[in-house]
Amino acid sequence: MTAPTHPAPTVGYAQLWAADPGAWRAAGAAWAGLTGLVDRRAGELSTDGRALRIGWSGRAATAADGRLAGLRGELTSIAPALIEADQVLAEFAGRLAAAKGRLAAAVALADGSGLLVDRHGRVGPDPSRARPGERDGLASARVTAALREALELAGAADRAATARLDELTTAATGAWQVPPPPGRPGSGADPAAVRTWWAGLTPAQRRWLVGHEPALVGRLDGVPVAARDQANRLLLGTRREELLAERRLLLARVPPGPVGSLRLRRVEARLAGLDALAERLAGQGAPRAYLLGLDPAGEGRVVIALGDPDQADRVVTYVPGMTAGLDDAPGELERVARVLSRCAALDPGERSAAVLWLDYDAPDFLHEAATAGQARDAGPALHRFQEGLRASHDGPPARQTVLGHSYGSLVVGSAARDHGLAADALVFVGSPGVGVAHAAELGVPPGQVWASSAPDDVIRLTRPPDELTRRVLLGTSPLAAALELTGHGEHELWFGRDPAAPDFGGRIFPSGRHGHVGYWDPDNPALDGMARIVLGR
């Protein structure tokens, strides 16, 4: 039998040690920042065209107007390429950082084994320590293998980034954008069918769709994450204008008073949330953010990923609960970012991505949160999204985890029960019940249903509505009834069996006394628990 061979690393030890992922990330952000200049120049051409049409007519005027329109089209057509360059360089920076993490771990292993790694990456005994023994040979082999793995990871990242940038360069000298044939997937299309349709298009046809039909591309589950991100970023300015127009309308038409002021404050809160997300999208923070959906209407909806789920080995989708909307989306994104950060701390070489999925109408008031209607309504969309992640992923399937908090846990449970979820693990924190009596009803692998409930989480006071009603009818206040039920050893919550109860059939991980919203606090063991589940440990 021939021993397996490995491709020779194309990146050297000293080269990887000196590499600066932040510089590559900054270079990508600089390319993406040019989209603002493109927008401004395209706007100036539009203004010039309108001015010409006012004072000039005839054949020459028509020709000039056509030429200006053509120039404007050429300008705007390069915006997706600028975003793609940012994607390529940011993902390269992320993979480079992971390789450097593995390199540092290999060097630490050498140090702990009494070995030295020289500037060329060669492993040998440390002369300042005890004389080498038989075990040192085994330790040296382990360190050498770990070093090679880090260098191979960096080399693969370098080759992938080079290939994508070469493709962009080649395309720029040929047919950049070509209209695709008629026929588009409809709203709610099967993600696998969407993926097949997209794969059947040429790169030039895909670029045309991103540039000319971004609203279609940006919302289709099954389209690759990179293309959706490009499309939705092109729409950011339009979405902000929609909110500004809504605010102007309120200022002009809504009479003064508490109701008008409340509506105005809500619009301004959504605008502030959108601006904060736009700042994160434009920044150089790691990992790179991918905009997979945005709708400012109502309370606002957004789907945003940290890291590219299509390239990750592990993906967690987080569904927030009551009152979640565009206004507090930056805070919700910070929660899932903490899980991702803890994953990286536990496994420095891992490639994970995290998604904030806020593509449903979350309850704003207690009387709305007391019913399962909005959770049921969200089910089909969450099902399609998870199926889309499976369909668009590159390489072997990623481990997918879906995490629900508070009412969001009911959304996750209802979707899993009624539609099925493409998920390897489900996690519920601060749950009022997930709509089932036992973990087996959720359709995920045995032992992959997890839950945590803080000892001081007020959600533990919730009890089935029929029991509360009976107590109230017997003359007890609702709060007193809930408190009376607490502590009687019962595990029924408002929406069914407590998923953190021993007899639910799932697995429990601990939380400290951090209340209903403190599961992501840095010193809460629940944060470690969530990260370990995402990693599959």
Side-chain angles (χ1 to χ4, degrees):
M1 178 181 289
T2 304
T5 59
H6 301 276
T10 56
V11 176
Y13 174 84
Q15 187 180 10
L16 178 56
W17 194 265
D20 181 4
W24 289 106
R25 207 172 284 117
W31 278 105
L34 293 175
T35 56
L37 178 62
V38 167
D39 289 341
R40 289 194 297 274
R41 294 294 182 260
E44 290 168 4
L45 286 174
S46 295
T47 302
D48 293 344
R50 285 193 295 270
L52 280 175
R53 286 191 293 272
I54 293 173
W56 192 16
S57 61
R59 185 178 299 175
T62 301
D65 189 50
R67 178 58 179 150
L68 284 175
L71 287 172
R72 187 170 64 251
E74 290 177 17
L75 261 180
T76 56
S77 72
I78 69 171
L82 299 173
I83 299 170
E84 186 172 353
D86 174 35
Q87 292 172 339
V88 173
L89 295 177
E91 284 304 313
F92 173 62
R95 295 178 69 178
L96 194 61
K100 285 176 69 69
R102 293 193 183 185
L103 189 72
V107 171
L109 176 62
D111 184 64
S113 303
L115 301 170
L116 281 178
V117 181
D118 70 16
R119 61 194 303 267
H120 300 291
R122 293 186 294 250
V123 182
D126 184 349
S128 67
R129 301 196 182 187
R131 296 181 62 184
E134 185 176 329
R135 292 183 179 180
D136 290 335
L138 296 175
S140 178
R142 286 197 300 271
V143 172
T144 300
L147 289 171
R148 185 180 187 90
E149 183 182 357
L151 296 178
E152 287 176 353
L153 179 61
D158 182 67
R159 291 189 295 273
T162 299
R164 288 184 65 186
L165 292 174
D166 283 347
E167 182 186 351
L168 264 180
T169 303
T170 302
T173 62
W176 178 248
Q177 289 188 351
V178 176
R184 308 282 190 270
S187 177
D190 174 57
V194 171
R195 177 60 171 170
T196 300
W197 165 76
W198 187 262
L201 300 172
T202 67
Q205 289 170 337
R206 296 173 195 156
R207 291 190 198 96
W208 189 95
L209 283 167
V210 169
H212 291 80
E213 299 183 26
L216 168 73
V217 175
R219 65 175 170 77
L220 278 178
D221 295 313
V223 168
V225 164
R228 293 182 67 176
D229 175 60
Q230 293 166 26
N232 284 309
R233 283 173 181 257
L234 294 179
L235 293 169
L236 260 178
T238 301
R239 299 298 181 234
R240 190 173 193 278
E241 278 300 319
E242 291 171 3
L243 279 176
L244 290 173
E246 186 178 348
R247 185 174 68 174
R248 287 193 296 269
L249 187 64
L250 283 173
L251 289 171
R253 295 187 180 181
V254 176
V259 175
S261 297
L262 178 60
R263 292 174 62 185
L264 184 60
R265 285 198 301 272
R266 285 182 171 178
V267 172
E268 289 175 339
R270 277 183 284 146
L271 187 59
L274 178 58
D275 287 344
L277 289 177
E279 183 177 351
R280 175 62 178 87
L281 289 164
Q284 299 176 21
R288 185 185 188 278
Y290 290 76
L291 185 59
L292 307 184
L294 177 64
D295 182 359
E299 297 302 316
R301 301 184 180 197
V302 65
V303 182
I304 189 167
L306 298 177
D308 185 351
D310 286 348
Q311 306 297 325
D313 298 322
R314 305 167 186 87
V315 181
V316 56
T317 301
Y318 165 53
V319 183
M322 180 179 166
T323 74
L326 187 55
D327 57 342
D328 60 356
E332 299 290 2
L333 187 64
E334 174 59 26
R335 287 180 172 178
V336 76
R338 290 184 181 182
V339 177
L340 200 58
S341 178
R342 190 58 58 93
C343 286
L346 291 170
D347 187 349
E350 59 86 34
R351 292 178 63 194
S352 296
V355 182
L356 167 62
W357 189 86
L358 181 46
D359 195 16
Y360 82 107
D361 180 21
D364 291 319
F365 305 102
L366 284 173
H367 71 274
E368 294 175 335
T371 70
Q374 284 161 273
R376 286 194 302 268
D377 291 345
L382 182 57
H383 164 78
R384 281 195 305 273
F385 180 75
Q386 288 298 120
E387 291 291 333
L389 291 181
R390 282 273 194 247
S392 64
H393 190 268
D394 290 333
R399 173 178 169 82
Q400 291 191 173
T401 301
V402 184
L403 162 66
H405 173 239
S406 192
Y407 193 87
S409 69
L410 179 63
V411 173
V412 174
S414 299
R417 178 196 66 204
D418 297 340
H419 309 281
L421 283 178
D424 301 290
L426 301 180
V427 184
F428 307 114
V429 292
S431 177
V434 299
V436 300
H438 195 273
E441 300 174 56
L442 295 171
V444 298
Q448 290 300 319
V449 176
W450 299 79
S452 184
S453 183
D456 57 344
D457 191 335
V458 295
I459 207 75
R460 296 163 73 101
L461 298 178
T462 63
R463 285 296 178 261
D466 54 346
E467 180 65 12
L468 282 177
T469 301
R470 186 179 69 81
R471 300 275 177 137
V472 171
L473 289 175
L474 291 174
T476 308
S477 74
L479 179 59
L483 292 173
E484 183 182 346
L485 284 169
T486 304
H488 283 255
E490 301 182 16
H491 297 297
E492 290 295 323
L493 299 177
W494 193 267
F495 293 111
R497 204 71 174 165
D498 182 357
D503 58 353
F504 182 75
R507 301 169 72 179
I508 304 167
F509 61 100
S511 172
R513 299 183 66 85
H514 290 255
H516 186 57
V517 297
Y519 294 93
W520 295 267
D521 288 351
D523 58 340
N524 192 340
L527 181 59
D528 260 8
M530 288 184 278
R532 292 182 185 279
I533 295 165
V534 172
L535 292 171
R537 293 188 170 187

